[in-house]
Each structure stands twice: as structure tokens, then as C-alpha cells.
Amino acid sequence: MSEGNVAADQLRLFIERIERLEEEKKGIADDVKDVYAEAKSNGYDTKTMRAIVRLRRMEKHTRDEMDALLETYRTALGLA
């Protein structure tokens, strides 16, 4: 087998792996969407849930900095 064929085979394998992972990612995204729909049908606010998920993903110090800055801006705008 020539070097060109080996490189082409390797490239094809990479592409096929990416395609499988993309399909799995789509399936997971659909599952997440279903969970949010179920939560909404049980009376939960999905925008707030998404915000909580985003906050939980952050490191504590980043979340604390964001909270402090948000409070500063609220105070400055009379929203506190």
C-alpha cells in the first residue's frame, strides 16, 4: 500500500469518527431538549434552569466575580 493510500485511509477513519461523534452529540442534544421540555411541562422555568446549569459549570471564583460585578451594576442603575 502506498503512502497516499495510507494517508487517505487514515483521513477517512478520522472523518468517520467525527461523523459518529457528531451523531452522538445530536442525540445527546435531543435528550437534553427533552429534559427541558419535561421540566417545563412540570411548571419549571427553563430559562432559569439553563442559567443555573451555566453557573454550575463555572468555577466558584469566576461566579463570585460575576455576582459582585452584577451587584455593582445593579446598584449603579438603581436596580438593587
Side-chain angles (χ1 to χ4, degrees):
M1 196 179 292
S2 73
E3 250 181 70
N5 286 343
V6 171
D9 287 344
Q10 187 178 42
L11 176 60
R12 181 182 48 76
L13 291 172
F14 282 135
I15 296 298
E16 288 172 356
R17 282 173 55 196
I18 291 168
E19 289 171 340
R20 279 192 302 274
L21 291 168
E22 289 291 343
E23 191 59 36
E24 288 177 31
K25 185 169 73 171
K26 182 187 177 303
I28 291 170
D30 289 344
D31 291 346
V32 169
K33 183 179 171 185
D34 291 345
V35 172
Y36 278 115
E38 183 180 348
K40 185 175 184 172
S41 72
N42 281 286
Y44 292 97
D45 181 77
T46 56
K47 277 186 174 183
T48 303
M49 288 176 64
R50 287 179 192 279
I52 294 295
V53 168
R54 191 170 46 253
L55 288 171
R56 287 172 52 111
R57 233 182 279 152
M58 288 182 192
E59 292 184 15
K60 183 178 179 349
H61 70 85
T62 303
R63 194 171 50 243
D64 291 344
E65 289 173 8
M66 188 182 77
D67 287 343
L69 191 56
L70 186 58
E71 185 59 32
T72 300
Y73 285 14
R74 282 183 180 159
T75 300
L77 297 171
L79 298 173

